[in-house]
């Protein structure tokens, strides 16, 4: 090969290399646009993630496959703690592969948790699944509609549903966590929004610096989350009860809400105004929050309608059990319907139908919800609201309403729900309703008390209406006697 041939080949090589370099940035931009970039540098990523996404290149997939096979074996062997570490490695190898995050969060929360007996142990694994998505998956994939939906699903189904026998324990634990941040069902959104967002902003307030010094001199870390609980129980003379102390507590609450739970108080306030009032101690409100976040970044119809469904289904669940009364000293944790949310649920259905007009499954779901809401309204002694909704149902969905007046519809609808009740089940429903009625009477909510008493009356009447057709069943005790027993049960 002569010298000129060598020079020509080298020139062609350099020209090709230059051309490839010029194409690199457009190709990277195209990968970003279509969501297939796996090696872009990530802001604030740990060194392990930077190394695995850049240095290992195509070998990451091979290593991840080997670890995935290993994780299946560990799960079969019941080696759960090793499995968590392995899941962490797999997600670090494929940080932009959202299916990996979704699968491992689901695996921790569903497959592994149910293998354990104690509710406390199950909750630890469910909590790990939530943290994996919220604190890690969304950190590396911010604004990913599917991961936001998967996070909402854990709140909607795992915490808010009844598929797990430890579900009530999960709800109690979550409510206890939220109750550490605020009192009652709803945070003071304005105070949180206006709280100093950083330590520097807090210390810039002239009356705060002396308070910080005073707390430190007393051996109390001013920025420990423990100060929030202390402030709630502190006497009026405590520094945390001063104006400066309240600024510190507002800052600590905002920081916990933002940094630990990844919640934005402005978005919470907007959602509460749009869909509430919501009880933010319950998982339904958080499912709505993450469903809303998913909805506003989704671009595919599948992701949009999934987020829409999460919102109106979670609102429906809040309607059914979104009113919470707790008394930790007496181990009371009572969820009951919140009829005030019915118009919000219907509005959420209508929002979805604007985007997906004529969708039969959504129309049918709305009709069934309206039938259910009529009975709940009626049971809660809100007869006018029940009658108005009945008229709307008859206008919008005539095939869902038999040729009957309001009173006949309510009686037949209620009896249809009661027709298969055994004596024990009917008695259980009646006793539960009467206990609730007596409870709410003593806690200053006569309308709710009247609603539960009405439910007990309807169940008692319905059972005895079909009694002649069930000769093996025997009559229930008189309702007055059952009321007296219930009142004794809730007496202090």
């Amino acid at each position: 090969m002569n010298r000129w041939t060598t020079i020509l080949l080298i020139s062609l090589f350099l020209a090709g290399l230059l051309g490839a370099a010029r194409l690199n940035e457009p190709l990277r931009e195209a990968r970003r646009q279509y969501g297939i970039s796996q090696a872009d540098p990530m802001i604030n990523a740990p060194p392990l993630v930077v190394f695995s996404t850049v240095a290992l290149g195509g070998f990451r997939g091979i290593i991840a496959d080997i670890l995935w096979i290993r994780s299946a074996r560990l799960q079969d062997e019941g080696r759960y703690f090793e499995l968590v570490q392995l899941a962490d490695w797999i997600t670090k190898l494929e940080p932009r592969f959202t299916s990996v995050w979704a699968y491992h969060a689901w695996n921790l929360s569903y497959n592994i948790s149910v293998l354990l007996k104690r509710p406390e142990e199950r909750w630890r694994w469910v909590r790990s699944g939530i943290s994996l998505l919220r604190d890690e998956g969304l950190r590396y994939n911010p604004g990913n509609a599917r991961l936001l939906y998967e996070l909402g699903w854990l709140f909607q189904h795992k915490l808010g549903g009844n598929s797990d026998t430890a579900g009530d324990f999960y709800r109690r634990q979550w409510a206890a966590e939220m109750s550490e941040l605020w009192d009652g069902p709803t945070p003071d959104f304005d105070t949180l929004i206006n709280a100093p967002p950083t330590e520097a902003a807090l210390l810039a307030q002239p009356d705060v610096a002396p308070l910080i010094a005073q707390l430190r001199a007393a051996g109390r870390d001013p920025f420990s989350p423990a100060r929030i609980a202390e402030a709630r129980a502190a006497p009026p003379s405590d520094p945390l009860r001063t104006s400066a102390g309240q600024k510190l507590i507002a800052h600590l609450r905002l920081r916990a809400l933002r940094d630990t739970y990844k919640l934005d108080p402005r978005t919470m306030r907007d959602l509460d105004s749009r869909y509430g009032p919501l009880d933010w101690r319950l998982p339904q409100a958080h499912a709505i929050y993450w469903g809303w976040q998913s909805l506003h970044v989704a671009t595919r119809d599948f992701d949009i309608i999934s987020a829409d469904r999460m919102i109106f289904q979670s609102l429906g669940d809040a309607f059914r059990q979104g009113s919470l009364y707790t008394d930790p000293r007496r181990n009371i944790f009572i969820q009951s319907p919140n009829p005030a949310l019915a118009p919000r649920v219907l509005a959420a259905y209508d929002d979805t139908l604007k985007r997906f007009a004529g969708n039969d499954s959504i129309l049918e779901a709305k009709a069934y919800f309206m039938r259910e809401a009529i009975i709940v309204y009626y049971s809660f002694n809100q007869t006018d609201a029940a009658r108005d909704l009945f008229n709307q149902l008859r206008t919008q969905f005539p095939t869902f309403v038999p040729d009957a007046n309001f009173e006949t519809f309510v009686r037949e609808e209620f009896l249809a729900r009661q027709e298969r009740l055994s004596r024990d089940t009917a008695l259980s429903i009646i006793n539960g309703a009467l206990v609730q009625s007596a409870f709410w009477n003593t806690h200053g909510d006569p309308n709710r008390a009247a609603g539960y008493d009405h439910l007990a009356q309807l169940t008692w009447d319905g059972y005895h209406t079909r009694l002649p057709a069930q000769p093996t069943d025997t009559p229930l005790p008189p309702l007055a006697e059952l009321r007296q027993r219930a009142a004794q049960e809730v007496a202090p």
Side-chain angles (χ1 to χ4, degrees):
M1 184 181 297
N2 59 40
R3 186 178 66 174
W4 292 110
T5 302
T6 303
I7 293 174
L8 177 62
L9 290 175
I10 293 175
S11 300
L12 289 173
F13 171 75
L14 292 175
L17 192 63
L18 179 61
R22 292 173 64 86
L23 288 173
N24 184 53
E25 187 56 36
L27 287 173
R28 288 183 60 182
E29 184 59 35
R31 289 198 301 270
R32 292 191 195 99
Q33 180 180 351
Y34 291 104
I36 59 175
S37 176
Q38 295 288 321
D40 287 344
M42 289 177 286
I43 298 173
N44 297 326
L48 175 61
V49 177
V50 175
F51 173 77
S52 67
T53 55
V54 178
L56 295 182
F59 288 104
R60 290 180 295 110
I62 298 173
I63 299 172
D65 287 343
I66 295 172
L67 293 179
W68 207 305
I69 294 170
R70 173 67 174 159
S71 71
R73 187 177 305 151
L74 288 177
Q75 183 165 332
D76 291 339
E77 295 172 358
R79 296 161 67 179
Y80 305 126
F81 290 101
E82 293 178 58
L83 181 60
V84 172
Q85 182 61 68
L86 211 57
D88 182 63
W89 290 347
I90 294 171
T91 52
K92 294 300 188 295
L93 285 167
E94 299 284 358
R96 298 284 177 81
F97 187 15
T98 56
S99 296
V100 174
W101 295 101
Y103 169 78
H104 282 294
W106 169 78
N107 196 40
L108 294 172
S109 299
Y110 283 85
N111 289 349
I112 296 178
S113 67
V114 298
L115 297 176
L116 304 169
K117 293 182 179 180
R118 297 175 57 206
E120 298 87 348
E121 295 173 334
R122 289 190 175 191
W123 172 239
R124 183 163 59 250
W125 290 100
V126 173
R127 197 74 171 70
S128 295
I130 292 173
S131 297
L132 186 68
L133 280 180
R134 185 191 63 202
D135 305 336
E136 300 290 329
L138 285 168
R139 176 185 179 185
Y140 303 125
N141 301 273
N144 183 276
R146 201 64 202 165
L147 287 187
L148 289 164
Y149 172 85
E150 294 292 343
L151 179 56
W153 175 254
L154 291 179
F155 283 100
Q156 180 188 359
H157 187 261
K158 192 64 179 178
L159 271 65
N162 296 310
S163 62
D164 192 326
T165 55
D168 187 63
F169 182 85
Y170 303 157
R171 289 185 284 276
R172 286 174 177 258
Q173 293 299 111
W174 185 254
E177 283 191 38
M178 295 298 100
S179 296
E180 288 294 316
L181 299 181
W182 60 78
D183 298 316
T186 307
D188 184 343
F189 295 119
D190 292 337
T191 297
L192 288 170
I193 290 168
N194 294 319
T198 64
E199 288 188 19
L202 177 68
L203 293 172
Q205 312 250 350
D207 57 340
V208 172
L211 169 71
I212 300 299
Q214 182 181 359
L215 290 172
R216 283 176 172 157
R220 300 164 70 182
D221 179 3
F223 297 103
S224 168
R227 301 292 84 80
I228 299 174
E230 281 184 12
R232 184 180 288 112
S237 58
D238 192 280
L240 294 176
R241 298 293 295 273
T242 64
S243 174
Q246 292 305 297
K247 293 176 184 177
L248 170 63
I249 297 304
H251 165 74
L252 293 177
R253 284 175 166 160
L254 173 63
R255 192 164 72 178
L257 198 70
R258 181 191 61 205
D259 298 344
T260 303
Y261 297 100
K262 308 300 187 290
L263 298 171
D264 173 35
R266 291 183 185 275
T267 304
M268 293 173 71
R269 182 182 64 180
D270 293 344
L271 289 176
D272 203 75
S273 176
R274 183 184 183 92
Y275 295 123
L278 300 170
D279 192 323
W280 288 91
R281 298 169 297 178
L282 292 174
Q284 290 82 14
H286 296 267
I288 293 168
Y289 181 95
W290 295 113
W292 177 263
Q293 297 283 39
S294 178
L295 178 63
H296 281 74
V297 296
T299 56
R300 300 184 304 164
D301 281 353
F302 176 80
D303 291 330
I304 294 171
I305 198 169
S306 295
D308 270 329
R309 287 183 187 277
M310 177 167 288
I311 291 172
F312 65 64
Q313 288 173 354
S314 298
L315 261 178
D317 291 339
F319 167 80
R320 297 177 189 97
Q321 53 179 359
S323 180
L324 176 64
Y325 177 84
T326 64
D327 186 346
R329 291 172 302 175
R330 300 171 60 192
N331 195 31
I332 293 176
F333 187 91
I334 297 175
Q335 289 180 256
S336 61
N338 184 358
L341 293 181
R344 306 290 198 173
V345 182
L346 295 174
Y349 276 110
D350 291 338
D351 286 344
T352 304
L353 288 168
K354 290 176 184 177
R355 284 186 279 272
F356 301 94
N359 185 296
D360 290 338
S361 65
I362 298 173
L363 286 167
E364 186 174 347
K366 180 184 177 183
Y368 277 114
F369 173 78
M370 293 174 77
R371 293 178 65 157
E372 178 184 9
I374 291 168
I375 300 303
V376 172
Y377 270 145
Y378 192 79
S379 298
F380 272 67
N381 207 32
Q382 299 182 26
T383 308
D384 291 341
R387 192 184 301 275
D388 289 343
L389 193 56
F390 170 77
N391 291 331
Q392 293 179 43
L393 176 64
R394 186 162 53 183
T395 300
Q396 297 179 30
F397 304 99
T399 59
F400 279 80
V401 182
D403 188 13
N405 59 28
F406 170 68
E407 287 76 12
T408 303
F409 170 82
V410 170
R411 183 172 62 254
E412 292 180 353
E413 184 76 9
F414 194 89
L415 292 179
R417 296 165 182 255
Q418 307 290 323
E419 62 182 3
R420 294 185 180 87
L421 292 184
S422 66
R423 183 181 189 278
D424 289 344
T425 304
L427 191 58
S428 175
I429 292 174
I430 292 168
N431 281 330
L434 290 176
V435 167
Q436 290 269 28
S437 176
F439 176 85
W440 291 115
N441 248 329
T442 61
H443 286 77
D445 195 337
N447 283 334
R448 192 179 294 266
Y452 277 110
D453 188 83
H454 199 185
L455 174 62
Q457 182 74 61
L458 287 171
T459 305
W460 196 92
D461 291 342
Y463 176 85
H464 287 92
T465 297
R466 68 174 179 81
L467 194 58
Q470 303 288 335
T472 58
D473 287 341
T474 57
L476 298 171
L479 201 57
E481 178 183 332
L482 295 175
R483 284 195 184 99
Q484 185 176 3
R485 291 182 190 174
Q488 293 171 351
E489 190 170 336
V490 301

